[in-house]
Amino acid sequence: MIKDAFDLKFILDNLPKIIGALPVTISITLISLFFGWMLGLIFAFGKVSGPRWLREVLKLLTDILRGIPTVVLLYVVYFGLPQIVGSLTGASLDGWSKQTFVVIALALELGISSSEMFRSAYNSIRKEQIEAAWALGYTKIQRFLKVIVPQGLFVILPNLSSAVLSIIQATALVYTLGIYDILGKARQIDTNEAHVKTFEMYLAAALIYWALAGVVTVIFSQLEKRFGRGRKVVAA
Amino acid sequence: MIKVEGLSKSFNDNKVLENVDLTIENGEIVSIIGPSGTGKTTLLRCINYLERPDKGKVTIDDLTVDADNPSKKDIHGLCLRSGMVFQSYNLFHNKTVLENVMEAQVIVKKRSRKEARERALEELKKVGMLDWKDHYPSQLSGGQQQRVAIARAISMDPSILLLDEPTSALDPELTKEVQQTIRNIAKDGMTMLIVTHEIEFARELCNRIVFMDEGHIVEQGTPKEIFSNPKEERTKKFIQFLFPQDYQIYI
Ligand SMILES: Nc1ncnc2c1ncn2[C@@H]1O[C@H](COP(=O)(O)OP(=O)(O)OP(=O)(O)O)[C@@H](O)[C@H]1O
Ligand SMILES: [Mg+2]
């Protein structure tokens, strides 16, 4: 079939269909972020105050996972986890959705990469700030919630923002498992048109990813303003 | 009342405090003086367990904490009964002046926000920082930050206020305003233990001067006794070092 000229109308006509897949991309992103950062906090805690053997294990895990491309990790989890669980416990993971495996892979990767970020944020908090809270009678949990989290959050916000963006991008890999996220949907439409609209559909997908990234950036710049209080001299 | 008994603390092999005993009665204002590196800061920090002593007891009012087996609750109790003013102010840099003075009242003392706010405004007024309540620490001079830090500590109603060289990071002008603030607090009857190199200030403010050297309390007494008539050789040397000419004429 002969390729037609650039077809703007086709993009506009199909954009709603692709946007229809937005919830898939967003839900995978949010769930992966949630579990990834939880895992990251736990790993960071282990790295800061765990026993020596735990710190060694986490360090090794960090080195291994950092070297593996996301797509490879995704397939290792997708194909490997059922086998491992099966041979260890005899349980079957057949009932698990593809999304579950995607979330596990992405959360694992994010957990490892964010643990380093959380650790260095913790180290960046000046000792005196924590000592002031100690002397005032804050409990350990109060020191964590009232001093370490708000002050550390400001330090890591730029990293959090780029983590969100890279998770969104990583979700585009799920089409390879046959999940209809934004990219999966765009490719499906293109396939239905016998691949004459490939450029249009990828462009449409790009537009949506770009808009999504824009929203994330705006949200984080608001958060930075909120948590950056007192950092800069605010006009009196 | 605060009582330190047999307090010892080493950092690795460096014996910083050895068997220190010190008692301060309610309403007393006591100053610790002594050469650099003799453990003055460490002594203060051992009282609220910012530094954990190796040995010895700390008593504030009804609570005695033994370094041999202190419970978390006991250590927390020492913090509740004492307030600390740091050399570097240590205000929460992400909070306004008012929030700095309010927060601990709300989360530690469990006061209502309204109550905490009223108390904070009252203390800020006392230290002359009311007009700055909505500013951030980074917008204040060092002297102003230290006055807020004093207000923050006082608002928690400590039995004793521990001050570690509260003016040593300030230039002379700002030093005066912070010293005036401390004098005002003294008038309110606050019990205080102050580490300072400002000898004139200590002489005029304190009931008692404690001279420390190399981890020991060498001598203590009224300002007059210590500055005009020191008994120990080491004290004499230190006083002469402070007032190189005939030190008597300063007294
Ligand atoms: N956290 C620490 N780790 C190791 N050594 C320490 C620590 N804190 C203090 N020291 C050492 O303990 C000794 C006493 O220190 P400290 O700060 O109590 O002295 P100081 O009397 O307050 O001195 P200055 O007048 O200079 O403030 C010093 O030799 C110091 O190097
Ligand atoms: Mg000191």
Side-chain angles (χ1 to χ4, degrees):
Chain A
M1 192 171 275
I2 308 154
K3 293 236 173 195
D4 294 328
F6 177 67
D7 192 345
L8 182 63
K9 185 169 179 304
F10 189 80
I11 294 184
L12 294 177
D13 287 346
N14 285 285
L15 210 50
K17 273 194 219 159
I18 304 178
I19 290 175
L22 203 54
V24 177
T25 294
I26 291 179
S27 63
I28 294 177
T29 302
L30 291 181
I31 298 171
S32 302
L33 285 174
F34 176 77
F35 286 108
W37 282 335
M38 293 293 278
L39 212 54
L41 278 174
I42 294 167
F43 286 166
F45 188 73
K47 284 179 180 179
V48 170
S49 55
R52 194 188 175 82
W53 65 266
L54 183 62
R55 288 186 310 217
E56 292 298 324
V57 169
L58 286 172
K59 191 168 171 300
L60 188 68
L61 205 58
T62 307
D63 289 342
I64 294 172
L65 282 178
R66 265 186 176 169
I68 302 179
T70 310
V71 64
V72 176
L73 181 65
L74 183 60
Y75 275 76
V76 167
V77 169
Y78 185 61
F79 292 109
L81 199 59
Q83 282 191 16
I84 295 171
V85 172
S87 63
L88 283 181
T89 68
S92 163
L93 302 187
D94 289 350
W96 289 21
S97 68
K98 289 173 185 168
Q99 274 90 339
T100 307
F101 292 101
V102 170
V103 166
I104 291 173
L106 294 182
L108 203 56
E109 180 163 289
L110 182 60
I112 288 296
S113 61
S114 65
S115 69
E116 276 306 299
M117 162 186 89
F118 288 130
R119 195 177 64 104
S120 61
Y122 176 81
N123 289 337
S124 79
I125 292 167
R126 289 185 16 250
K127 196 172 108 253
E128 302 90 82
Q129 297 277 308
I130 299 173
E131 289 189 344
W134 170 284
L136 286 163
Y138 287 43
T139 60
K140 190 171 186 171
I141 187 89
Q142 287 169 341
R143 292 196 299 273
F144 181 75
L145 292 177
K146 295 291 178 180
V147 181
I148 296 172
V149 169
Q151 296 192 7
L153 212 48
F154 175 78
V155 179
I156 60 176
L157 272 175
N159 295 329
L160 291 186
S161 167
S162 59
V164 175
L165 294 177
S166 69
I167 288 288
I168 290 175
Q169 288 172 20
T171 62
L173 293 170
V174 305
Y175 86 85
T176 60
L177 297 179
I179 296 172
Y180 291 109
D181 69 324
I182 289 171
L183 184 57
K185 196 75 195 168
R187 287 174 55 92
Q188 186 194 33
I189 296 168
D190 174 45
T191 305
N192 292 344
E193 295 291 323
H195 296 293
V196 294
K197 303 293 186 195
T198 308
F199 170 60
E200 282 83 354
M201 285 300 92
Y202 273 94
L203 188 62
L207 281 175
I208 297 171
Y209 284 118
W210 173 71
L212 211 50
V215 171
V216 170
T217 310
V218 169
I219 290 174
F220 274 91
S221 69
Q222 289 303 314
L223 286 175
E224 269 176 57
K225 264 192 210 143
R226 164 97 176 65
F227 286 98
R229 299 192 312 152
R231 292 274 168 172
K232 292 162 217 107
V233 176
V234 189
Chain B
M1 185 222 38
I2 173 167
K3 200 164 166 188
V4 171
E5 293 164 277
L7 200 79
S8 298
K9 172 74 186 171
S10 307
F11 291 109
N12 303 319
D13 288 340
N14 181 11
K15 282 189 189 161
V16 175
L17 295 176
E18 273 189 278
N19 229 344
V20 172
D21 294 308
L22 181 65
T23 305
I24 299 166
E25 298 299 336
N26 286 342
E28 251 195 316
I29 298 172
V30 177
S31 177
I32 305 180
I33 61 169
S36 188
T38 45
K40 306 182 295 294
T41 295
T42 306
L43 175 58
L44 241 55
R45 289 167 62 87
C46 281
I47 291 174
N48 64 7
Y49 271 61
L50 267 175
E51 223 61 83
R52 182 152 181 171
D54 302 328
K55 216 164 59 59
K57 290 187 207 159
V58 177
T59 302
I60 306 181
D61 299 337
D62 55 332
L63 174 73
T64 298
V65 180
D66 193 325
D68 280 344
N69 56 350
S71 72
K72 271 195 180 144
K73 190 162 160 283
D74 285 348
I75 293 175
H76 190 233
L78 290 178
C79 295
L80 296 179
R81 287 165 177 75
S82 61
M84 186 168 246
V85 172
F86 298 86
Q87 202 169 351
S88 50
Y89 339 124
N90 300 13
L91 293 177
F92 299 124
H93 58 61
N94 55 335
K95 308 234 153 75
T96 63
V97 163
L98 183 61
E99 288 166 340
N100 260 283
V101 185
M102 275 178 68
E103 188 178 81
Q105 293 187 59
V106 174
I107 72 170
V108 178
K109 285 264 180 200
K110 311 289 180 209
R111 290 180 186 149
S112 71
R113 288 195 69 80
K114 181 168 172 290
E115 202 182 343
R117 193 185 149 84
E118 277 165 14
R119 180 63 190 271
L121 294 175
E122 185 187 318
E123 295 303 339
L124 285 172
K125 190 168 177 204
K126 260 190 223 159
V127 300
M129 288 299 294
L130 197 52
D131 292 343
W132 298 83
K133 66 179 165 54
D134 296 320
H135 287 68
Y136 286 95
S138 61
Q139 297 169 297
L140 308 179
S141 73
Q144 290 174 321
Q145 289 187 54
Q146 194 61 297
R147 280 147 60 194
V148 174
I150 291 170
R152 178 175 71 173
I154 296 292
S155 72
M156 299 296 283
D157 296 319
S159 298
I160 181 161
L161 191 60
L162 310 166
L163 303 98
D164 187 12
E165 301 195 33
T167 62
S168 67
L170 304 173
D171 61 38
E173 209 42 52
L174 301 181
T175 294
K176 271 192 207 132
E177 64 179 48
V178 171
Q179 288 180 345
Q180 191 51 47
T181 302
I182 296 172
R183 271 186 215 106
N184 292 343
I185 284 162
K187 273 188 215 125
D188 289 348
M190 176 58 64
T191 310
M192 291 196 259
L193 179 57
I194 311 177
V195 174
T196 186
H197 288 291
E198 302 281 341
I199 298 303
E200 264 313 303
F201 178 62
R203 194 180 63 83
E204 145 248 340
L205 181 77
C206 296
N207 312 101
R208 180 149 52 105
I209 305 286
V210 172
F211 173 64
M212 268 183 80
D213 194 14
E214 293 179 358
H216 297 275
I217 291 180
V218 176
E219 185 172 354
Q220 47 180 310
T222 63
K224 198 158 187 205
E225 285 167 345
I226 296 294
F227 293 125
S228 320
N229 194 16
K231 295 194 179 57
E232 301 291 329
E233 207 44 49
R234 278 196 279 179
T235 320
K236 281 180 194 159
K237 270 212 176 120
F238 183 67
I239 302 296
Q240 270 165 10
F241 164 77
L242 290 175
F243 306 107
Q245 301 90 345
D246 181 9
Y247 62 91
Q248 291 286 353
I249 62 171
Y250 284 84
I251 307 299

